[in-house]
Amino acid sequence: MSFIVIINNLLFLSLSVGAVCVLYTQGVGNREWREYGRTEVIDNTLNPDFVTKFILDYFFEERQNLRFDLRLERPLTGIPGKNCGTIIIKAEELGNCRESVLMQFCGNKLDKKDFFGKSDPFLVFYRSNEDGTFTICHKTEVVKNTLDPVWQAFKIPVRALCNGDYDREIKIEVYDWDRDGGHDYIGEFSTSYRELSKGQSQFSVYEVRLSFSPCTVTLLSCLVDTEVSFLDYIKGGTQINFTVAIDFTASNGNPSQPTSLHYLSPYQQNAYSMALRAVGEIIQDYDSDKMFPALGFGAKLPPDGRVSHEFALNGNPDNPYCSGIEGVMEAYYQSLKSVRLYGPTYFSPVINHVARYASLVKDGSEYFILLIISDGVISDMAQTKESIVNASALPMSIIIVGVGPAEFDEMIELDGDEIRISSRGRFAERDIVQFVPFRDYIDRRGNHILSMARLAKDVLAEIPDQFLQYMRTRGIKPQCPPQSYSSKLPAAPLQTQI
Ligand SMILES: *[C@@H]1O[C@H](CO)[C@@H](O)[C@H](O)[C@H]1NC(C)=O
Ligand SMILES: *[C@@H]1O[C@H](CO)[C@@H](O)[C@H](O)[C@H]1NC(C)=O
């Protein structure tokens, strides 16, 4: 959120003083006050309106004390017993909007204000606050001695201009600069971000109101630059569909033997459980229903012993969902007891399985992440590559964790970090595979918590970019969060006597 400091009616005996406001925050542990930031110094006014805003992270679970000190360059001497003015502190939640806009304006036939010469015009931009008051958000440079100034293009975040509210009034005042600080008012006009952004395709001419003679300001260019994040989509309701696929091929070793990668020991989790838990526990926070489909591949299933390369770990093909990561673990342990490890190692059936669902929701409302945990050599490399090339056009990413001591050459190739993966001359539209070898994350001193956090971090590192690439190339914008989300904070200003 941002804090805007507005000071009204300071009673100065000397007019040549400068005012500055300093914000302090308090440490959580030691309660010590530390300077967080200070505004610019404003001279010669009884109502300094600071442009500087303090932007602080807001923590729901913490009590955050703030202290504002107002300082003057010369001591403020009020008349004893008289009110020396008020300081108004406003807190407003920042819009989660990461757009910025690059604009350039020029003036036409502005009023001549200077006795010698023409005018020295500059523009002051104000955004309107929720309570209808205005706050300065930008000042242009002064163009000397002209009635037809062309100001330099400037870039401003849309949240500074209108707090992300496209229809909120933006007021622009035109002034003639004066050396003594008493700038002459030429006139003003109002617009909104929505109106300004029309300037992307056409010139917009604004009549300057309240000016002595008719004059205009023209918006010469307007370029919108959007920077949306992964979280914008999640807040906007995009669901992450997280599917797990586990390798049940014989190369993992007999699960009843301690040498097996699937060995279940009462003392220590095996590599599959550890990787599953590490990645799953991070991802589950983005999946609101926390119901995860879990698949296995490369095993002979009961009762008839047929080999399957895509079976539901919970034994229910119509409803492969497991409840939470615990549910996935439980289904994995149950499967180990019922299926027979077999082979070969085929990846393409599970990739196609998820791709079938991903191809049904291409509107950005769902994004699919498939976690494949496997011990080694892939037997259907050509099909797997084709499946990945096909899936690269879908809202889908694939994470592969390699367990055991094997060389993971194929998996490294699938990762495509160096050479974009292709199949029969067709290249993947984007990189959707991230591979990590589990053994690189084993902490010899047994600090699994830290090492698994590192694994999850590395394995998930590329997902937000892969996700954003999909959304960007499809022109999908994040949905706006429900209105209540952005208007929970009180808009009423706090008033403090100083
Ligand atoms: C999530 O994906 C799986 C396939 O991996 C599918 O069975 C399931 O229906 C999907 N869930 C939703 C809500 O789309
Ligand atoms: C990839 O897509 C093509 C065209 O839709 C399809 O014919 C092919 O079977 C797919 N490949 C795999 C391995 O699923």
Side-chain angles (χ1 to χ4, degrees), residues 352 383 386-387 390 426:
N352 290 346
Q383 274 94 334
E386 188 172 320
S387 298
N390 284 1
R426 211 154 52 91

Side-chain angles (χ1 to χ4, degrees), residues 11-60:
L11 190 71
F12 293 168
L13 289 187
S14 157
L15 269 179
S16 59
V17 306
V20 59
C21 184
V22 185
L23 168 62
Y24 294 86
T25 55
Q26 206 171 25
V28 182
N30 54 15
R31 300 273 126 203
E32 219 174 79
W33 291 105
R34 277 211 208 105
E35 179 171 332
Y36 184 85
R38 52 179 68 203
T39 64
E40 77 278 20
V41 178
I42 294 194
D43 288 332
N44 283 340
T45 172
L46 302 184
N47 298 303
D49 197 349
F50 300 108
V51 178
T52 311
K53 292 173 189 66
F54 302 117
I55 301 192
L56 286 175
D57 289 328
Y58 154 77
F59 301 106
F60 170 72

Side-chain angles (χ1 to χ4, degrees), residues 241 243 289 293 295 320-321 353-354 357 361 366 368:
N241 182 326
T243 303
D289 65 2
L295 307 172
Y321 288 100
H353 178 101
V354 177
Y357 290 92
V361 255
E366 264 186 79
F368 294 73

Side-chain angles (χ1 to χ4, degrees), residues 54 74 80 96 105 128 176 208 375:
F54 302 117
R74 297 240 186 106
N96 62 334
F105 288 88
S128 53
D176 166 45
V208 176
D375 77 330

Side-chain angles (χ1 to χ4, degrees), residues 348 352 355 382-391 423-424 426:
S348 71
N352 290 346
Q383 274 94 334
T384 295
K385 279 162 87 173
E386 188 172 320
S387 298
I388 291 173
V389 171
N390 284 1
S423 161
R424 294 191 280 169
R426 211 154 52 91

Side-chain angles (χ1 to χ4, degrees), residues 2-6 50 53 88-90 92 127 129 135:
S2 69
F3 287 92
I4 302 156
V5 178
I6 298 167
F50 300 108
K53 292 173 189 66
I88 300 173
I89 299 149
K90 298 181 179 191
E92 206 175 273
R127 77 150 195 239
N129 301 312
T135 303

